[in-house]
Amino acid sequence: MNDDLRGDAAETGEWLDALDSVEAFEGLNRVDELLDAVVTSARRKGAQLPFAANTAYVNTIRLEDQPPHPGDRKLEQIIRRYIRWNAAAIVLRANKESSELGGHIASFQSAATLYDTGFMHFWRAADDNHGGDLVYFQGHSSPGIYARAFLEGRLSEDQLVHFRQEVGGHGLSSYPHPWLMPEFWQFPTVSMGLGPLMGIYQARFLRYLHGRGLADTTGRKVWVFCGDGEMDEPESLGAISLAGREKLDNLIFVVNCNLQRLDGPVRGNGKIVQELEAGFRGSGWNVIKCLWGSGWDELLEADHSGKLRQLMEECVDGEYQDFKSKNGAYIRKNFFGRYPETAAMVAEWSDDKIWSLTRGGHDPIKVYAAYKAAVDHKGQPTVILAKTVKGYGMGTAGEGQMIAHQAKKIGDEALKAFRDRFDIPVSDADLAKVPFLRLPEDSKEMKYLRARRAELGGPLPSRRRSSAPLEIPPLSAFDALLKPTAEGREISTTMAFVRILTTLLRDKAIGQRIVPIVPDESRTFGMEGLFRQIGIFSQVGQLYRPQDADQLMYYREDSKGQILQEGINEPGAMASFIAAATSYSTSNTPMIPFYIYYSMFGFQRVGDLAWAAGDMRARGFLIGGTSGRTTLNGEGLQHEDGHSHLIASTIPNCVGYDPTYAYELAVIIQAGLKRMYAENQDVYYYITTLNENYPHPGIPEGAEEGILRGMYRLRTVEATKGGPSVRLLGSGAILREVEAAAAMLAQDFGVSSEIWSVTSFTELRRDGLDADRWSMLHPDQPRRLSYVEQALGKGTGPVVAATDYVKAIADGVRQFVPARYKALGTDGFGRSDYRRRLRSFFEVDRRHVALAALKALADDQLLPTRRVTEAIARYEIDSEAPNPARS
């Protein structure tokens, strides 16, 4: 080695010696501080530093930094064991006769300590002094949450016996479902990935409420529990950069890293903990690894050669899973036995002592330390990566085994081993009964359990069902929209919606509660004027001068801003909608979200979240802008919506409307506000609006009831007295084609028409099905008429309906129409062209509406068939054109 290299080595050695000295005298925390300062300075100078996404595969919290556990660990252990037993008993008893009901034992057993530590020491319930923490429980762990509630006296044994038997009304829902248990569960989480996504936006919405002065959310935390396998869902990690960017230190993820998904290892050939650490650290999160229990401390302290740490790094997750499915002797040979140094560490240990080495997620001391560090951390969200064993305690029935997730039964010997392992007071004679266990009311354990929750504000989970009603403005507040547009003026229903929104924002009673949500399309919907007026929410305000600062409608961010501008991010915007739409429950602060988006990118893209919103009893408005297959005419196949109302109709508490005129929109929104926020009804609205401009008439007298129920007679077009007549139904963009068709029928064929505006085929169908069901169940009573029958019953002639949506929308009311019925729609893929051409192509324009009416009259023998042929020629309709549904 030449002198220069020897000099480099000597200098390097001096640096390393200096670090060793700092560590020895001031500790590793000071080493961290110095290195952070050096690295920061080097980066600013342009140094090409090596990138390291991961820290060592050991606990983040060093032994010397570990806080003392504040609880009575012996009492907590007894309580936790009772909960473990009852959680397993819930599933075992539900599946005693057969496995039809299903259920999961292994998930909670791996996470019991993670939940217990939160319940005992961290999770605040809502009370007069605290808004309450929000906990997104992992869905598959529901039996454990029920088991604790049972121990607390919140659930009865009868309810536990009826786990997954929900029809009778007194059972327990399979997973967290606020719709089924509205006073218990807050968040539906078992649709994998939705809990993490919703939790992030919930944490941000708490900041929104606080920043705008609507609620004091100081000290409130959002805890999100998920599994390592669940993190493969794109939604799980899709928004973590937002949490880091927004510095949401009120957010804590707890990832139960039991290394196993439903079928096998999560990362059999790798390390899921290290992978997740890299992703979260790169997104600006504080990462706490809780990997090894207290029994490993003495081994790590004695690891002077570093071989144990090396071995921990080298083993992949498939091996770790295998180790915990075996026994101490197997671990001695196949783990410690890989290196002489590590084998020597446990040479004097018994196999049982080796087997007793636990993972960090099963050690209450380590879990408490991780939770406290997370709660105390400022400036970043925190993720706790807790290493556990799937099916912990299940032994041969599933511990660490591939079949653990599907395990619904435990054999007699395995159940006995489970009982003995956790010292459960059940005799051999009673073991087969799998009894539920309670703690005596006067026992130390029960008093301790109640005291801990009392100190933290009360029981969890717990859901608030309603909040104080809001004062809703009367319909007259929208008077300008109830009148005809000025002569020569044309507007779209999207423009009408923006006027309604502006009116509501100015309302003294509810203006501050309006939450406009847009996914980077404000200018498309004509909402850019709101940027300056009410601002875009940003925790830090606006740190720059916007490019358009000299313009009237400049882009303004504000810490008290009202708009949630989510970027090109429909799932995130929907998660914000859910947070706002359930704020009446989670924060006792009713908010009124209006989420407006391209309708094609609504239910089709975020249908799972829309379903979850229904489960969560959300209240608010989804506005499907630029709706209909032929209205957004230049954007093509992936932008043109013809089926969102069909998907929306599958959500029982989603109320869907497709209005044509501004006054219809005003009536619907005003009634929706009253229904949701004055009457506390658990529904939310989906309303489609158009970007097509046309004149709007004033509201017909007495139309309000029909608008809300789904249809009303707009007007009648009279032709030859005594001639044939038809009833024409239209909605949204195509109602105006229907009106034009009525004029053509009168002028060209002497056919009279009743024109009906159908604002909601969905609500008409639901009403009809309700009436039909009632009549079936009350055969001794006069048949109940549907609203469709009541509305059309006095008219004559066949009925033709046309919409800008697939035929199934209008066809849904067929059984209630008291006449021959023809439904026109836009089945097939969308495409770009002029609107008139698109409507002709999809056979919903005025010519095809008129043709359908004439054909229906001919089929009813009210008109000669030759008149239909004449119409085809007159209107230049191509009889051999391809079917648009298949083109």
Side-chain angles (χ1 to χ4, degrees), residues 702-755:
E704 290 93 330
E705 181 187 2
I707 291 171
L708 297 175
R709 296 194 69 176
M711 65 184 293
Y712 65 98
R713 187 164 59 185
L714 185 62
R715 58 190 173 90
T716 299
V717 177
E718 297 287 352
T720 307
K721 188 173 183 179
S725 64
V726 294
R727 276 78 62 81
L728 302 180
L729 281 54
S731 69
I734 305 304
L735 174 59
R736 298 181 67 251
E737 294 296 318
V738 166
E739 293 181 82
M744 293 165 60
L745 287 168
Q747 180 179 330
D748 299 336
F749 294 94
V751 174
S752 299
S753 302
E754 283 183 4
I755 302 173

Side-chain angles (χ1 to χ4, degrees), residues 198 202 517 573-583 593 609-610 612-613 616 618:
M198 292 190 295
Q202 180 68 252
I517 304 170
M574 190 66 191
S576 278
F577 169 83
I578 291 172
T582 56
S583 183
L609 284 160
M616 286 179 68

Side-chain angles (χ1 to χ4, degrees), residues 628-636 640 691-692 733-734 737 804 826 829-847:
R629 189 79 85 203
T630 69
T631 306
L632 186 62
N633 54 307
E635 295 286 340
E640 293 172 351
N691 67 334
E692 183 176 357
I734 305 304
E737 294 296 318
D804 212 12
T826 55
F829 285 121
R831 58 201 65 204
S832 297
D833 212 313
Y834 293 101
R835 289 191 182 109
R836 58 181 175 80
R837 290 181 179 174
L838 291 175
R839 288 167 184 168
S840 173
F841 173 79
F842 283 108
E843 300 170 0
V844 294
D845 67 343
R846 59 197 67 185
R847 300 175 309 133

Side-chain angles (χ1 to χ4, degrees), residues 168 257 360 385 526 757 766 841:
C257 297
L385 303 175
S757 175
R766 288 171 174 170
F841 173 79

Side-chain angles (χ1 to χ4, degrees), residues 492-634:
S492 67
T493 49
T494 298
M495 293 169 65
F497 164 72
V498 174
R499 292 181 67 179
I500 292 170
L501 184 63
T502 301
T503 299
L504 291 172
L505 286 165
R506 292 171 179 166
D507 186 85
K508 292 182 180 179
I510 64 171
Q512 287 299 306
R513 296 184 183 274
I514 305 297
V515 186
I517 304 170
V518 283
D520 205 32
E521 291 286 0
S522 298
R523 299 183 194 278
T524 300
F525 302 127
M527 296 173 63
E528 66 271 25
L530 298 179
F531 291 164
R532 181 186 63 82
Q533 294 174 36
I534 59 175
I536 298 164
F537 175 70
S538 166
Q539 291 191 69
V540 298
Q542 194 157 27
L543 305 179
Y544 61 96
R545 183 180 186 275
Q547 173 271 325
D548 56 355
D550 57 345
Q551 298 179 19
L552 179 63
M553 296 183 287
Y554 65 90
Y555 194 86
R556 182 171 73 89
E557 299 187 64
D558 194 300
S559 60
K560 296 184 182 297
Q562 202 158 345
I563 299 171
L564 288 176
Q565 165 59 275
E566 301 296 6
I568 305 173
N569 179 7
E570 286 85 5
M574 190 66 191
S576 278
F577 169 83
I578 291 172
T582 56
S583 183
Y584 74 92
S585 176
T586 57
S587 296
N588 200 22
T589 307
M591 302 299 289
I592 308 173
F594 286 89
Y595 169 27
I596 182 168
Y597 54 88
Y598 272 36
S599 68
M600 186 64 163
F601 304 140
F603 287 91
Q604 176 169 293
R605 184 166 291 190
V606 295
D608 203 6
L609 284 160
W611 186 261
D615 192 348
M616 286 179 68
R617 299 171 176 261
R619 302 171 186 172
F621 295 91
L622 299 178
I623 308 296
T626 61
S627 67
R629 189 79 85 203
T630 69
T631 306
L632 186 62
N633 54 307

